[in-house]
Amino acid sequence: MISERLQHAREFESESGGSEADRPAFHVTPTVGWMNDPNGFSVFGGEYHLFYQYHPYSNAWGPMHWGHVKTRDFIKWKRLPAALAPDQLYDKDGCYSGSALELPDGRQLLIYTGVCKSAADGAVQEAQTQCIAIGDGQNYEKHPMNPVLDGHDLPTGGHPEDFRDPKIWREPNGSYHLAVANRTGDGSGAVLLFGSRDALHWEFLHTLDASHGKFGGMWECPDFFRLGEKYVLMLSLQDMFPQGLEFHAGNNTAWLIGSMEPDTAFSRQAVQPVDYGIDFYAPQTLLAPDGRRIMIGWMQNWETSGCKVEGHSWFGQMTLPRELRMENGRIFQRPVKELEAYRRGRMAYRDVTVQEEISLAGISGRVLDMTLTLRPTAGASWFRLSIAKGGNYSAAIYSSLAQGTITLDRSSSGLNRDILHIRTFPAAMQEGILQLRLVMDRFSAELFVNGGAQAATMVLYAPAEADGICFAADRPVMMDVEKYELGGF
Ligand code: FRU
């Protein structure tokens, strides 16, 4: 049964879905209105499904629905009707983030956080509970047992109003595990692990890890998976204080890397930021049938989510799906290999000497995949790649070769708001070489440094005609360039 509220959302999106012309070419955007976190990124019926936090009725956050798209190759996406609306008592104030999997009987299970506010003693109380919907890949029935987890299932001290973002997976023995974020008695976040035989009846197993105030306040959007020889707890961390150049103030994302013995707690050995850029939050992964662990994130941040481009019928983009791999205890990421099938018009230069600002014939554009290999000569202390350049617009990727850092600067990229525009992160040369791979898609730039040891993402606001690219350095830097246009979506 499709509820009236869901039917209304579906009709609204089919009537008001904006044109595809003012959008990125291959990054997911909402059908219409607002989008935040990726949800339910998973394999179903041989295709990849992606849901998202969705408010179709305006380009601002509002009562959360789940939008829905699917793909066979992570690049070309097909829009599907909205999957969930806040239409039950237990989720009347929003269907928050969650995950999905294919059940052994071929149906698709969605698990999400239902939000219900009520007034008691003159104050508003919020309950966040975990709820299930089961369907055929397009239409879903909310389960009569909902909610399947609520405040009574929390360990002592856990806050029922901050209990959200369930991530489900199946263990090799056929049982189910669920990681859910919760605010603990000390006011900061933790990830709780629950177990179940049927994905409906859950019991609390143990706490996977907790912030204890060291890594921000509330934790959000947990994901937990094995990568190489390690286990990874991926998190979105609210309200952090900065930690050097590794974590900035505000909301961050992190991989907690460690080991895990069966039935014992996760033991954290290292912490690594997921993306060092300006616009990245709430990532989620899936395990592809070929064994690749693939991650997608919301290509935005909450601080700048009030900055809207006039005339766009949509707000919010997803990142490019990225393959993760573990190398010597560090996680590397790169764009999914399927992107290479969309490369067109190769332009390449070898051994270009860069010093005074230059541009190169055939090297420009806003939808492209470009790799620079830089070999600075003695004394070169900086190199600058300028992109989305035209008129008064430009954005910079500035490498301080001397300090081993990269700075993203999009101050002049079309947004007339005094918000966060600049971010610096550690990214040093490796054996005298700095490699920068940049994927641009009209309104974004995703940077992968030295084979993906660091990634940094930023949204661009300049009009698409600002498509110039320039290179400069203080002393000669030898540069190879390989650039492809991307097309055929
Ligand atoms: C993260 C988040 C989630 C929540 C959702 C609500 O960006 O705050 O914790 O489920 O957004 O839209």
Side-chain angles (χ1 to χ4, degrees):
M1 253 278 289
I2 312 274
S3 70
E4 222 172 276
R5 208 157 173 195
L6 182 59
Q7 189 57 33
H8 187 260
R10 286 181 170 189
E11 279 164 18
F12 183 83
E13 64 182 353
S14 67
E15 283 158 18
S16 351
S19 97
E20 295 293 325
D22 68 352
R23 295 175 186 249
F26 59 99
H27 285 68
V28 175
T29 51
T31 302
V32 61
W34 163 279
M35 176 175 91
N36 58 290
D37 313 357
N39 295 156
F41 188 40
S42 59
V43 182
F44 178 70
E47 297 177 301
Y48 303 107
H49 282 245
L50 176 71
F51 303 82
Y52 51 87
Q53 289 286 279
Y54 184 31
H55 185 244
Y57 304 113
S58 75
N59 62 4
W61 191 89
M64 282 288 114
H65 296 55
W66 275 33
H68 192 185
V69 288
K70 67 177 183 179
T71 180
R72 287 181 182 280
D73 68 356
F74 298 110
I75 305 296
K76 207 184 275 183
W77 296 87
K78 182 175 163 25
R79 295 190 183 281
L80 293 170
L84 299 177
D87 50 18
Q88 304 295 317
L89 189 58
Y90 53 82
D91 64 15
K92 70 177 179 55
D93 293 300
C95 300
Y96 277 17
S97 287
S99 53
L101 55 64
E102 182 163 356
L103 290 167
D105 65 9
R107 294 177 303 159
Q108 191 177 30
L109 175 142
L110 314 182
I111 183 160
Y112 67 98
T113 299
V115 178
C116 177
K117 293 183 184 161
S118 55
D121 305 329
V124 176
Q125 283 187 344
E126 179 165 324
Q128 299 192 343
T129 60
Q130 315 320 316
C131 306
I132 281 183
I134 295 181
D136 60 2
Q138 181 148 327
N139 295 309
Y140 303 87
E141 289 285 339
K142 293 184 181 170
H143 203 279
M145 274 179 59
N146 280 343
V148 295
L149 279 169
D150 65 17
H152 300 102
D153 300 294
L154 293 172
T156 313
H159 290 265
E161 68 277 20
D162 278 311
F163 178 36
R164 60 179 177 270
D165 308 340
K167 169 72 192 215
I168 192 170
W169 68 92
R170 198 176 6 253
E171 287 287 309
N173 67 6
S175 69
Y176 296 93
H177 274 175
L178 189 69
V180 194
N182 185 218
R183 189 153 56 83
T184 61
D186 71 14
S188 65
V191 176
L192 310 180
L193 185 67
F194 295 87
S196 171
R197 300 204 149 281
D198 59 4
L200 293 172
H201 301 83
W202 294 95
E203 61 166 336
F204 174 62
L205 300 177
H206 52 81
T207 295
L208 270 174
D209 205 345
S211 171
H212 300 300
K214 185 154 180 255
F215 288 98
M218 176 59 184
W219 285 357
E220 304 187 300
C221 303
D223 197 346
F224 189 64
F225 50 88
R226 192 183 165 139
L227 194 65
E229 293 307 302
K230 299 282 184 194
Y231 281 81
V232 180
L233 180 57
M234 184 167 76
L235 292 168
S236 296
L237 313 161
Q238 283 189 325
D239 309 325
M240 279 187 82
F241 290 103
Q243 296 184 9
L245 292 180
E246 290 289 307
F247 293 99
H248 52 83
N251 290 358
N252 284 262
T253 52
W255 287 307
L256 313 189
I257 303 169
S259 58
M260 176 102 177
E261 301 300 326
D263 302 325
T264 61
F266 166 73
S267 131
R268 185 201 315 157
Q269 293 151 350
V271 179
Q272 184 186 331
V274 179
D275 188 290
Y276 288 91
I278 301 174
D279 297 293
F280 187 89
Y281 198 61
Q284 215 181 57
T285 70
L286 62 71
L287 185 62
D290 60 10
R292 285 178 299 163
R293 179 59 62 177
I294 297 178
M295 174 182 78
I296 192 165
W298 183 39
M299 193 152 59
Q300 251 309 323
N301 78 61
W302 283 107
E303 311 284 346
T304 59
S305 63
C307 303
K308 309 285 157 68
V309 177
E310 231 172 274
H312 282 182
S313 61
W314 54 276
F315 178 83
Q317 308 175 57
M318 294 299 169
T319 65
L320 193 54
R322 304 170 182 179
E323 297 170 9
L324 306 184
R325 68 182 194 281
M326 185 71 74
E327 262 180 41
N328 300 324
R330 188 170 178 88
I331 299 176
F332 283 61
Q333 58 189 299
R334 64 175 165 222
V336 282
K337 66 171 190 293
E338 286 85 344
L339 183 65
E340 289 159 32
Y342 295 85
R343 286 174 164 177
R344 309 277 185 276
R346 178 176 187 269
M347 279 299 298
Y349 290 85
R350 284 191 76 84
D351 289 328
V352 180
T353 307
V354 178
Q355 189 169 4
E356 256 154 53
E357 188 163 78
I358 54 164
S359 55
L360 297 170
I363 306 288
S364 64
R366 286 283 286 268
V367 184
L368 54 81
D369 182 356
M370 176 172 77
T371 300
L372 309 183
T373 306
L374 306 173
R375 293 177 299 275
T377 60
S381 69
W382 60 262
F383 173 88
R384 188 179 62 232
L385 163 64
S386 301
I387 56 172
K389 224 171 135 56
N392 291 328
Y393 301 113
S394 81
I397 294 161
Y398 174 93
S399 166
S400 167
L401 302 163
Q403 283 168 21
T405 60
I406 289 180
T407 299
L408 303 182
D409 183 347
R410 54 125 191 247
S411 316
S412 301
S413 179
L415 204 57
N416 55 358
R417 287 282 164 272
D418 185 23
I419 53 151
L420 183 79
H421 290 302
I422 298 178
R423 174 145 296 141
T424 298
F425 60 94
M429 285 186 283
Q430 299 293 316
E431 293 166 11
I433 293 179
L434 187 69
Q435 194 207 57
L436 306 178
R437 180 173 174 193
L438 186 72
V439 177
M440 294 180 70
D441 186 6
R442 293 198 182 121
F443 305 113
S444 66
E446 292 171 89
L447 177 70
F448 302 87
V449 185
N450 293 335
Q454 293 88 12
T457 301
M458 65 177 158
V459 168
L460 301 174
Y461 298 86
E465 301 73 56
D467 65 354
I469 294 181
C470 293
F471 312 93
D474 62 340
R475 299 269 169 77
V477 170
M478 306 307 291
M479 174 177 77
D480 299 342
V481 187
E482 186 178 30
K483 188 220 109 185
Y484 298 88
E485 286 158 25
L486 295 167
F489 306 107

